Each structure stands twice: as structure tokens, then as C-alpha cells.
Amino acid sequence: MTHMPSAADPPAPPVPHVPAQPGPPPGPGSQPSAELSSPPGPPARRSAWAETTAQLRAAATTEPGRLRIIGAVLAALVVAFGAVTAFEIADRASSADAVVNRSQPLSADAASIYRSLADADTAAASGFLAGAQEPPAVRERYHKDITSASRLLVKAAANTDGSTDSRRWIATLNEQLPRYTGLIERARANNRQGLPLGGAYLRYANQLMTTELLPAAQKLYEEETARLDDDHGDARVWPFLSLGLGVVAIGGLVWAQRRNYLRTNRVFNHGLLAATAASTVVLLWLAVGHAVARAGLDEARANGQESLKVLNDARISSLKARANENLTLVARGAVLTADGKSDKYETDYTSGMSRLTASLGRAGRLADDGAGRTPVADAVSAASEWKNRHKDAGETDRAGDYDGALAKVIGSEGSTGQCFDRVDAALEKALAHEQAEFTESAEEGLGALVGLSIGAAVLAVLGAVGAVLGIGRRLSEYR
């Protein structure tokens, strides 16, 4: 039975508070309690790449997000296409410009240096044969050749690439040319006094020309011609990277428009259509422009450069042959070949004429029109007559008639000198024609690339803007 407490019952005594006692220290293997552990640090942050990837994945799950990604990719492709096209075409145009305005002119100047030096040597020998009273025309021709060679050397030194061997050959020519002219003046001074020493000086000058000056000029010509070939090859290389990017960019734009059509039944998106049109224009311009430039450079090489090389070789051979022909009479059998059996200058004359005949035959086959074939045919005819007259002069000399042989070599009527002049004039005319053809074709090739680099960049920017606006128009439908 429960009783209600009454007022008479005393109150219960209070329970004393006993403070909690600390437990024993944790052992070495025990874990600290939750109350004693340090507060947790901030959660570990992901890298920027991981966050960006996560955001892209999240965006790709929605149509607006997918559209933004597609727009960014399309704009990047179109801009990359334009930038790479501008870069590659600028490089091709630079090489084509070098062909027209630097490499080929330097190659032609190097050939002219060789021709001037060889012609100066020929003129010096002809003047010596004329006796103490050197003809003014021969003297003027010699000075004109030396002046031309000196001027072209200065021009070549100013325009050639300092990293090539051309500098070394130019330095050799500049060093040896004053020595040569000094020897020629000594030969002339002795010849005026009737001293036999003049012939020795002339032969020494010719030896310096054939062993030092002309080989250096030949090396300079080969170096500049090799650089011309390099520039020509660089200008002809197809811009494969640009063409590939163009195809990819247009393919991406077509895919985006097809996707848009399948999802909305809208046939055209004006922005994407404009971007596709701009990219297509750039791609066609690139392909057609480079094809035209390549064709022009190939024509310049086939119809101009190859013919120029062969004609220069022919002219050099004729100059060498003429110099050796003159020296045959100057030396009068005093200089023999290495085996001691034949006259050195007569042997060199025969070799030079053989090379001349071969070069003229090849030049005739390379000539592609009447204006090119006619002077070559004239040179062939004059060279053939030159051989006959030289044979006649040699027989006269061997018969003991030195003066008669001299008249048949340097005389004003019926001499081999007249035939040489006809050959040289015909070759000069042929060279001028082929040079004009080369320049015309090469400039046409260069012209096909003008404006393409800037045009590609501008159209690419417009195409990228069109792609962004086209995708933006679709995005506005979700707002």
C-alpha cells in the first residue's frame, strides 16, 4: 500500500557530487578517444583539371552544355585552320619570293661573274697577240669585264647569306682579282717593249685565273644555285597540315548542322552555314592557289632555270675555248700536257669545244619556242664554223706561217674571233630570253600566293564568329 508523504516526514538528504576521475594513460597500442582527438581539417580539394573535367561531364549531360562544348570545339577548329594556313602560306610565299628576288638573281650574278672573268682573260690574251699596239676595243672589253666582275662581287657580298660558303668564295675572288690584274699589266708593259717576259707573265696570269679565280667563281655559282634549288623546293611543298585541318573543320561544321537538323528539323543555321562557307572558301583558295603557284614555279624551273644553267655552261665553255686558242699562239708549244706529248692549250681548246657542242645540243632540246631555239641554232652554226677556221689556222701555224695563223685567229675578216663573237652574242640573246621566261613564270607562281595568308586569317575569324553565333542561337531557345 502506498502512502502519500506527509508533512511530518523529513526530506531526503542531498547526494554529494563526486568529480570524474581521469582514467589511466593510453597504452602504446591504444587509440585515443573521440574527446581527446584533434579537430578534423578541411576536405581535400581536387586539382583544377579534375574540377574542369567534372564540370564538362556534368555539362555534357544537358543539351545546353553539349551545345557549348560543340561551339567551343568548332570555333577552335576554324581558328586553328586559319592560323596554320596563314603560317604555312607565309612560309611558302617567302620561299617563292626568295626564288624570284634573291636566289635566282644571285645565281645569275654568280654566272655573270664567271663569264666576266673568263672573258677578261680571253680579251687579255687577244690584246697580247695583237702586239705592242693593243686595239682600243680589246682593251675596253677587258676593262669592262673587270669592272663588271668587281661590281657583281660587291652586290653578291651584300646579298648572299653569311652562313653559307659563298662568303669564302667571294673573299677569294676579291683577294685574287687584284693579283691577276697586276700580272696582266706587267705582261702588257713587257709586251710593249718587245720583251719575251711578257708572255711568261700572261701565262702566269692565265694560270692564276684557271686555278684560283675561275674555280672560286664556279663554287660561288654552285653554292647560289644550290640555294635556289632549296628555295624552289621549299616553295613547292604542299601545306598538308593546313589542308588536313581544313577538311576536319568543315567536317565538324557539317556534322553540327546535321545534328541540329535531326534534333530540330531546321534545315539551316545561319551562323554555322556562314562558318562552313568561310572555311570552304579558305580551303579552296588554299588548294587552288598553291596548285597554281606550284605549276608556275615548275614551269620556271623547266623552261627557264634548266635552260639558263645549260646556256651558262655553254657560254663558259666557249670563253675557255677562246682563251686557250689564243694562248696556243702565245705559248707556241712551250706548255705541254702532263704526259709531255701534246700542247696543253690546244688540248684544252679541243675539250672546251666538245663541251660547248654538247651544251648547245642540250640547250636546243630544252628550248620550248622559236625565240629560244633560233639563237641556239645560230650558236651551233657559228661553233661549227669556228672549228673549221681553227683547224685551218692550226695548219697554217704548223706550216711555219705564224703571222698568217695569227691573222686567222684575231684578224678582222674570216678569223676564229668572229665566230667566237657570233657564238657569244647568240648565247647572250638566248640567255636573255630564258631569263625573261623564268622571271615571268616565277612571278606568276608568287602572285598566286599573294593575299592568301591574310585572307585565310580574316575568313577564319569570321568563320569562328559564325560558329559561335550559330550555337548561341540554339542556346537562346533554352532560356
Side-chain angles (χ1 to χ4, degrees), residues 215-343:
Q218 179 71 24
K219 292 292 185 181
L220 177 62
Y221 173 69
E222 292 173 356
E223 189 75 23
E224 297 302 336
T225 301
R227 186 164 68 163
L228 171 60
D229 291 338
D230 291 341
D231 289 336
H232 183 271
D234 292 341
R236 293 180 70 258
V237 175
W238 278 100
F240 290 111
L241 184 57
S242 299
L243 293 171
L245 277 174
V247 172
V248 172
I250 293 175
L253 289 167
V254 171
W255 171 83
Q257 291 178 85
R258 176 173 173 77
R259 181 181 185 276
N260 183 47
Y261 168 73
L262 294 176
R263 290 175 178 270
T264 65
N265 277 336
R266 292 172 182 166
V267 178
F268 296 118
N269 179 293
H270 293 166
L272 293 177
L273 189 63
T276 304
S279 299
T280 302
V281 169
V282 174
L283 184 62
L284 292 176
W285 191 1
L286 171 64
V288 175
H290 193 272
V292 172
R294 185 184 174 97
L297 291 171
D298 286 344
E299 184 177 358
R301 184 186 185 100
N303 297 336
Q305 185 177 338
E306 292 295 330
S307 294
L308 285 171
K309 183 179 184 304
V310 174
L311 289 170
N312 278 319
D313 290 342
R315 199 173 191 188
I316 288 168
S317 297
S318 70
L319 289 165
K320 286 183 175 180
R322 178 59 179 172
N324 287 314
E325 183 181 47
N326 291 336
L327 288 169
T328 300
L329 294 178
V330 172
R332 306 187 71 173
V335 182
L336 301 177
T337 56
D339 57 8
K341 297 180 180 179
S342 306
D343 184 282

Side-chain angles (χ1 to χ4, degrees), residues 65-86:
R66 286 191 287 267
L67 288 174
R68 291 189 181 93
I69 295 174
I70 291 172
V73 172
L74 290 177
L77 278 175
V78 174
V79 169
F81 172 41
V84 173
T85 298

Side-chain angles (χ1 to χ4, degrees), residues 130-475:
Q133 299 299 322
E134 184 177 3
V138 176
R139 178 76 172 176
E140 179 64 24
R141 182 171 182 171
Y142 169 81
H143 279 296
K144 182 180 178 181
D145 287 332
I146 295 298
T147 301
S148 176
S150 301
R151 176 180 56 81
L152 291 173
L153 281 172
V154 172
K155 182 181 177 182
N159 295 325
T160 193
D161 188 355
S163 62
T164 65
D165 290 334
S166 296
R167 293 279 183 182
R168 178 157 59 95
W169 307 123
I170 292 172
T172 299
L173 290 167
N174 283 326
E175 179 183 350
Q176 299 298 332
L177 186 57
R179 291 182 57 197
Y180 172 80
T181 55
L183 290 170
I184 292 296
E185 293 308 318
R186 292 183 183 181
R188 281 177 174 152
N190 283 276
N191 193 37
R192 290 191 187 100
Q193 299 176 36
L195 299 177
L197 190 59
Y201 276 119
L202 183 65
R203 290 194 300 272
Y204 186 32
N206 174 262
Q207 182 181 1
L208 179 63
M209 176 65 74
T210 55
T211 59
E212 296 287 342
L213 286 163
L214 291 182
Q218 179 71 24
K219 292 292 185 181
L220 177 62
Y221 173 69
E222 292 173 356
E223 189 75 23
E224 297 302 336
T225 301
R227 186 164 68 163
L228 171 60
D229 291 338
D230 291 341
D231 289 336
H232 183 271
D234 292 341
R236 293 180 70 258
V237 175
W238 278 100
F240 290 111
L241 184 57
S242 299
L243 293 171
L245 277 174
V247 172
V248 172
I250 293 175
L253 289 167
V254 171
W255 171 83
Q257 291 178 85
R258 176 173 173 77
R259 181 181 185 276
N260 183 47
Y261 168 73
L262 294 176
R263 290 175 178 270
T264 65
N265 277 336
R266 292 172 182 166
V267 178
F268 296 118
N269 179 293
H270 293 166
L272 293 177
L273 189 63
T276 304
S279 299
T280 302
V281 169
V282 174
L283 184 62
L284 292 176
W285 191 1
L286 171 64
V288 175
H290 193 272
V292 172
R294 185 184 174 97
L297 291 171
D298 286 344
E299 184 177 358
R301 184 186 185 100
N303 297 336
Q305 185 177 338
E306 292 295 330
S307 294
L308 285 171
K309 183 179 184 304
V310 174
L311 289 170
N312 278 319
D313 290 342
R315 199 173 191 188
I316 288 168
S317 297
S318 70
L319 289 165
K320 286 183 175 180
R322 178 59 179 172
N324 287 314
E325 183 181 47
N326 291 336
L327 288 169
T328 300
L329 294 178
V330 172
R332 306 187 71 173
V335 182
L336 301 177
T337 56
D339 57 8
K341 297 180 180 179
S342 306
D343 184 282
K344 177 183 182 303
Y345 296 119
E346 180 65 23
T347 302
D348 290 343
Y349 161 82
T350 303
S351 299
M353 292 302 290
S354 297
R355 290 191 297 270
L356 172 61
T357 302
S359 296
L360 289 176
R362 187 179 176 194
R365 292 189 295 272
L366 289 173
D368 60 336
D369 56 12
R373 286 189 290 267
T374 299
V376 174
D378 293 340
V380 170
S381 176
S384 178
E385 187 175 354
W386 181 3
K387 292 179 183 178
N388 294 331
R389 292 185 181 183
H390 176 82
K391 183 179 179 181
D392 185 32
E395 291 174 353
T396 302
D397 185 34
R398 286 189 292 273
D401 186 3
Y402 177 80
D403 291 336
L406 188 63
K408 291 181 179 181
V409 172
I410 64 171
S412 57
E413 294 294 336
S415 66
T416 59
Q418 288 182 320
C419 296
F420 163 74
D421 290 338
R422 284 173 52 197
V423 170
D424 194 65
L427 289 175
E428 184 175 6
K429 184 178 180 180
L431 281 166
H433 172 73
E434 297 299 336
Q435 180 65 56
E437 280 200 337
F438 174 90
T439 302
E440 181 181 0
S441 298
E443 286 181 347
E444 287 179 359
L446 175 60
L449 300 177
V450 172
L452 177 54
S453 180
I454 297 176
V458 172
L459 287 174
V461 172
L462 294 177
V465 172
V468 172
L469 292 178
I471 296 297
R473 179 67 183 86
R474 285 283 293 117
L475 284 172

Side-chain angles (χ1 to χ4, degrees), residues 46-56:
R46 293 181 297 177
S47 64
W49 173 258
E51 291 185 359
T52 302
T53 303
Q55 292 174 1
L56 289 175

Side-chain angles (χ1 to χ4, degrees), residues 48-120:
W49 173 258
E51 291 185 359
T52 302
T53 303
Q55 292 174 1
L56 289 175
R57 287 176 179 173
T61 61
T62 65
E63 181 62 13
R66 286 191 287 267
L67 288 174
R68 291 189 181 93
I69 295 174
I70 291 172
V73 172
L74 290 177
L77 278 175
V78 174
V79 169
F81 172 41
V84 173
T85 298
F87 174 79
E88 287 194 322
I89 291 302
D91 180 68
R92 304 303 188 275
S94 176
S95 297
D97 181 74
V99 169
V100 176
N101 298 313
R102 188 187 64 188
S103 303
Q104 201 280 328
L106 278 174
S107 177
D109 286 345
S112 295
I113 290 172
Y114 193 109
R115 187 207 64 81
S116 296
L117 293 174
D119 193 58

